[in-house]
Amino acid sequence: MTTATTRALRTPPARTGAATTGPPATAAPPSLPSLTGLRWMAALLVFGLHVNNFGYFGGTGGRFVHWAFGAGATGVSFFFVLSGFVLTWSARPRDRALAFWRRRIARIYPVHLATLAVAFVMAYTLARQPRPTAGQALANVLLLHSWWQPWWQTLNPVSWSLACEAFFYAAFPLLFLVLRRLGVRGSLVLGGLSVAAVLVLARADAHHWWTHPVYSFPAARLPEFVLGAVTARLVLLGRWRGPGLEASLALAVIGYFMVPQVTPGYSATVCTLAGFTLLIPAAAVADLHGLPSLWRRRRTVRLGELSFAFYMVHLLVLRAGTAVLGKKPHFGPLEGVAVTAVVFTVSLGLSWLLYEAVECPARRLLLRRRRRSARPETVPARREASAAARD
């Protein structure tokens, strides 16, 4: 780690009061574009995982894709840690729970409902697609389906992680209240307890201590979210002492490729948790102090802005493709690359359409009345999307 990086990590963020209580309540926190760029990398891991699962490549190509993306589900763990970090970074002491929940609904619900409607149409128009019951459909709409393991993959399967996020959002006002009252030692203890919880849950899942796997159970994924919140609190206090961006990325990559060595499922979280928990604050510190960051490039950040819509739509595109390609076609290398490129392009184009025509307009519409009624001096503190990386 370079001298400049070490010095930056030991220097509190250059913000009034950052070393003790964080930014003033009326000030928007500095933006963290590297975190938005990293979101795109996590979304690509999930996309690669699903390309592998749909069997586009056979033979040597299939083995390579499995090696590269077989652990892609850990990208969702990255999202959970990142969500805790960003929400804590952009939170304000005077913010009310109802206002916070309203912003979160405006953030995720429009795209969720739009992709859910597409999934519902596909279920009744495409051959060999499972049709949901009324209870499953309602649970999906309300983001409750991950609480009942047999339902977690119904309609748009990737939305199971949104059910986890909805639980995190419900718990965040209380978590933030606790974090505000904890000092550095208390925050470290909370982080340590979260790590211990992940280890216990991984062992329980690997040894089948419960009837159903805990991989998609929202309460089991809460420790990852809490870890992200704890690291954000330490950065806000100017007390983060983690490694730099390069070392953290190396640890994350090593953990990623260790996943095949453990029991499939929740246990993969243990492999990548340390790397992800270190990488996110390292990227934040790099942005705060102007250190080099690959993830801050304009195009990468733009792709990161589209990452939520991309994540929500890409599996629907893959499912629709089975009507033409069949299940697990096992193409050769050239055909597999060509088909993957087409699916990727269509998914990216639809994600841009979702972002520009659904996500942004709906968010502005849902938050417009609140912003008009807010006093001018409190508006910057409420502008979560422009204050920090989109979560």
Side-chain angles (χ1 to χ4, degrees):
M1 185 163 50
T2 65
T3 303
T5 303
T6 305
R7 186 183 303 114
L9 289 171
R10 293 180 178 175
T11 305
R15 293 180 287 156
T16 304
T20 55
T21 60
T26 58
S31 63
L32 304 174
S34 289
L35 300 190
T36 305
L38 281 169
R39 283 187 58 85
W40 175 245
M41 295 300 105
L44 278 184
L45 291 180
V46 179
F47 174 78
L49 169 71
H50 290 142
V51 168
N52 173 67
N53 292 347
F54 274 70
Y56 280 5
F57 292 84
T60 302
R63 289 190 290 273
F64 174 79
V65 171
H66 179 74
W67 171 82
F69 296 106
T74 57
V76 179
S77 179
F78 180 88
F79 289 143
F80 291 160
V81 179
L82 179 65
S83 182
F85 188 99
V86 172
L87 293 185
T88 303
W89 181 258
S90 58
R92 288 294 167 267
R94 296 180 183 178
D95 203 10
R96 296 181 178 180
L98 289 178
F100 168 78
W101 289 329
R102 178 174 179 169
R103 291 197 304 275
R104 302 324 302 159
I105 290 173
R107 173 69 178 93
I108 69 170
Y109 233 85
V111 172
H112 167 57
L113 292 180
T115 53
L116 190 63
V118 173
F120 195 84
V121 171
M122 288 174 58
Y124 284 89
T125 57
L126 296 182
R128 298 186 298 275
Q129 296 295 325
R131 296 183 178 182
T133 65
Q136 289 172 334
L138 181 61
N140 271 260
V141 170
L142 299 177
L143 292 178
L144 297 173
H145 53 299
S146 285
W147 290 96
W148 177 233
Q149 201 273 339
W151 288 2
W152 76 290
Q153 288 277 284
T154 53
L155 288 170
N156 189 8
V158 298
S159 66
W160 75 266
S161 65
L162 291 193
C164 295
E165 291 281 1
F167 175 62
F168 303 161
Y169 299 159
F172 181 75
L174 178 59
L175 172 63
F176 184 60
L177 184 66
V178 171
L179 280 173
R180 284 180 55 202
R181 285 159 172 75
L182 293 178
V184 174
R185 290 184 180 179
S187 298
L188 290 173
V189 168
L190 181 59
L193 291 174
S194 299
V195 172
V198 170
L199 295 175
V200 170
L201 287 166
R203 184 171 179 82
D205 191 61
H207 292 274
H208 307 289
W209 292 355
W210 289 295
T211 304
H212 296 299
V214 301
Y215 176 80
S216 61
F217 192 61
R221 309 312 296 253
L222 183 63
E224 298 153 81
F225 178 81
V226 173
L227 269 175
V230 167
T231 56
R233 179 64 174 163
L234 293 174
V235 174
L236 285 167
L237 292 172
R239 300 297 296 274
W240 177 251
R241 298 294 182 268
L245 191 53
E246 297 87 353
S248 299
L249 180 60
L251 289 173
V253 172
I254 291 171
Y256 177 83
F257 285 105
M258 286 178 58
V259 169
Q261 309 305 316
V262 302
T263 305
Y266 187 89
S267 298
T269 305
V270 175
C271 298
T272 57
L273 189 65
F276 291 164
T277 303
L278 295 173
L279 176 61
I280 291 168
V285 169
D287 285 347
L288 290 172
H289 297 282
L291 300 174
S293 172
L294 173 67
W295 317 107
R296 201 187 303 133
R297 295 180 178 178
R298 182 174 59 85
R299 290 183 180 178
T300 306
V301 173
R302 176 56 176 169
L303 289 170
E305 292 174 347
L306 302 178
S307 62
F308 175 56
F310 181 84
Y311 173 78
M312 294 297 294
V313 78
H314 79 276
L315 191 54
L316 298 178
V317 175
L318 285 164
R319 276 191 166 183
T322 60
V324 178
L325 305 172
K327 291 188 176 181
K328 296 187 181 300
H330 296 300
F331 295 117
L334 293 179
E335 296 91 339
V337 169
V339 171
T340 301
V342 171
V343 170
F344 174 82
T345 302
V346 172
S347 300
L348 186 60
L350 290 176
S351 67
W352 176 84
L353 183 63
L354 274 173
Y355 181 78
E356 295 292 345
V358 177
E359 185 176 339
C360 290
R363 192 189 320 174
R364 287 193 296 266
L365 178 64
L366 292 172
L367 297 180
R368 182 173 55 186
R369 182 179 302 177
R370 181 65 180 174
R371 287 174 177 172
R372 285 179 177 177
S373 62
R375 291 180 300 174
E377 65 268 24
T378 65
V379 170
R382 302 177 186 277
R383 296 183 61 185
E384 185 175 329
S386 62
R390 286 179 172 85
D391 62 308

